[in-house]
Amino acid sequence: MKDTNAIEDAIRGKCKQELQSIVNNFMNELENKIRGEYNSANFYDFKAPNSKRDSFHVMGTVQLQGVLNNMLYSAHLESMVEVKSKELVAKLKLEI
């Protein structure tokens, strides 16, 4: 790795893989249990719990998977990178 940016990119990539794994596990359960066993449709409406505003629709598991990945990235990626970076610094016994 040439610089600290490459290290951060590697940590970010590892965190994304971890989040993608969570989504993949969910998608497998969805496909096997809900769609497979009950043969239900794969159209998904996202709505606010107590409102009819701010809703959107996705069709198919590929779009759903993309939405779930993006939701987890925006909610958790930066904090995961921060924690993993601190762990690496501590492991290497560096002072920052």
Side-chain angles (χ1 to χ4, degrees):
M1 293 188 191
K2 294 182 180 180
D3 57 18
T4 56
N5 287 339
I7 294 169
E8 184 178 347
D9 289 344
I11 291 171
R12 185 173 302 282
K14 195 79 163 164
C15 292
K16 279 186 171 185
Q17 287 177 348
E18 192 174 333
L19 292 171
Q20 287 169 352
S21 176
I22 293 167
V23 171
N24 289 342
N25 289 337
F26 173 76
M27 296 303 296
N28 287 337
E29 286 290 316
L30 181 69
E31 282 294 312
N32 294 331
K33 183 71 176 175
I34 305 299
R35 294 220 349 101
E37 189 172 322
Y38 300 111
N39 196 30
S40 62
N42 63 346
F43 301 100
Y44 304 96
D45 291 317
F46 286 80
K47 300 177 185 176
N50 298 320
S51 173
K52 292 184 179 181
R53 298 178 314 144
D54 301 328
S55 65
F56 65 95
H57 179 82
V58 296
M59 182 175 73
T61 55
V62 172
Q63 286 184 356
L64 177 61
Q65 189 170 14
V67 167
L68 294 174
N69 278 327
N70 288 336
M71 281 181 2
L72 292 182
Y73 295 162
S74 66
H76 304 291
L77 184 61
E78 292 307 316
S79 61
M80 290 175 72
V81 169
E82 184 178 330
V83 167
K84 289 187 181 291
S85 295
K86 286 179 182 177
E87 289 172 352
L88 179 60
V89 167
K91 188 174 184 177
L92 297 173
K93 298 178 183 174
L94 299 174
E95 289 186 33
I96 294 182

